[in-house]
Amino acid sequence: MSRKTGFSKSIICGFSCVFLTAISLSAQANLVSNGSFETTSLATTGAFGSNVASWSNASGSSEALIFPGVGLQPLYSYSYAVYQPGLSATYTTYGLLGPFPTTSPDGGKYVLSDGDYLNQPISQTISGLTIGNFYQLSFYQALAQLDENLTPQGLVTGYWQVSLGAATQNSQLQKADGTTVVDSFGNLVQSATISPWTLQTMTFQASAATEVLSFLSVGTGLPPMIGLDGVSLEAVPLPAASWLLGSGLLGMITAGARRHRAKA
């Protein structure tokens, strides 16, 4: 084998090693377990509580796990009486106002939480973090309005307050309006609206090897139902890693060239 051929093979081998290292850095694993909420002991839509694997949520809170195509009917299909001065009436809750989709972009099951009533954090302990490193959190969020048969229900707002350890960030504020307006001729002039599923991203820096990731719904109006699905937490490749790859490749080529000249 000629020296030139040996040098070429060394360069090719070096490029291959760097390429494989780059792939390993870019292919980060999701540190969240059951981030799509698919593993559950529930057979249909029901209270989130302790029914979803890897996640914790207080019993009796407003968070619900929604099965695709089923909606809120099994959980919120009930009537209740509301008493106000000079008013006694029974209202029926039976679903969501607005054209809310039956599935999220992540597919399968998803979470809905009333951001203004009995809302409690949905949390999970994340392990395997490196102190000082950055991690990108991504998830899907949407906003609709619970139908309590009250007219008009008006504007609702909502977002997720997200925490990783002691650090807290808020997702995008969304708006929806369950009001439906009909003119004097019986024509629909304004229908209920929602905020559709939108991908949210934020970056956290780990302050411990193990941190608690939590989502708390926050909303205003009557009642804001905030959606959550497709939760992912992945390490952000360090800029230094890219520099090391580049400098390592340059050093390898330089060293190979020197050996080639020395043997020539």
Side-chain angles (χ1 to χ4, degrees):
M1 181 176 65
S2 67
R3 293 174 183 175
K4 183 176 182 181
T5 301
F7 174 67
S8 299
K9 286 190 174 182
S10 297
I11 295 298
I12 293 172
C13 180
F15 269 110
S16 299
C17 292
V18 171
F19 179 72
L20 292 174
T21 303
I23 290 177
S24 66
L25 285 172
S26 62
Q28 303 297 330
N30 182 8
L31 298 176
V32 175
S33 298
N34 197 24
S36 295
F37 309 109
E38 297 304 307
T39 305
T40 175
S41 59
L42 295 171
T44 188
T45 292
F48 194 99
S50 60
N51 298 314
V52 182
S54 302
W55 294 92
S56 299
N57 179 236
S59 177
S61 58
S62 67
E63 288 68 44
L65 181 67
I66 309 300
F67 279 58
V70 176
L72 285 166
Q73 189 73 19
L75 188 63
Y76 289 102
S77 182
Y78 60 86
S79 297
Y80 61 98
V82 175
Y83 299 99
Q84 298 178 4
L87 173 66
S88 176
T90 299
Y91 297 99
T92 302
T93 297
Y94 54 89
L96 295 172
L97 293 167
F100 196 78
T102 58
T103 60
S104 80
D106 189 60
K109 306 172 187 67
Y110 56 90
V111 177
L112 282 179
S113 176
D114 186 338
D116 196 37
Y117 181 70
L118 297 179
N119 48 327
Q120 293 291 328
I122 297 171
S123 61
Q124 178 178 148
T125 300
I126 306 295
S127 301
L129 302 172
T130 300
I131 297 174
N133 281 9
F134 290 91
Y135 294 85
Q136 180 173 283
L137 178 72
S138 62
F139 57 92
Y140 290 101
Q141 169 186 303
L143 178 67
Q145 187 171 22
L146 186 65
D147 186 354
E148 291 190 339
N149 202 25
L150 302 175
T151 304
Q153 293 202 198
L155 181 69
V156 295
T157 67
Y159 62 90
W160 288 103
Q161 185 181 88
V162 186
S163 298
L164 183 66
T168 300
Q169 299 184 44
N170 295 334
S171 66
Q172 173 191 356
L173 176 69
Q174 293 183 320
K175 299 179 180 180
D177 191 343
T179 304
T180 297
V181 178
V182 179
D183 63 21
S184 57
F185 300 99
N187 299 314
L188 178 67
V189 294
Q190 179 183 333
S191 60
T193 61
I194 66 161
S195 281
W197 290 101
T198 305
L199 181 64
Q200 307 286 311
T201 59
M202 51 187 66
T203 302
F204 289 92
Q205 186 176 24
S207 57
T210 300
E211 304 261 35
V212 174
L213 173 67
S214 69
F215 292 82
L216 175 65
S217 64
V218 180
T220 62
L222 182 72
M225 301 302 294
I226 308 168
L228 176 67
D229 201 6
V231 181
S232 176
L233 182 69
E234 299 180 352
V236 176
L238 295 175
S242 300
W243 180 85
L244 286 173
L245 284 175
S247 61
L249 176 60
L250 179 61
M252 180 181 58
I253 294 174
T254 302
R258 286 175 179 173
R259 285 196 301 269
H260 178 67
R261 287 195 299 270
K263 293 179 181 180

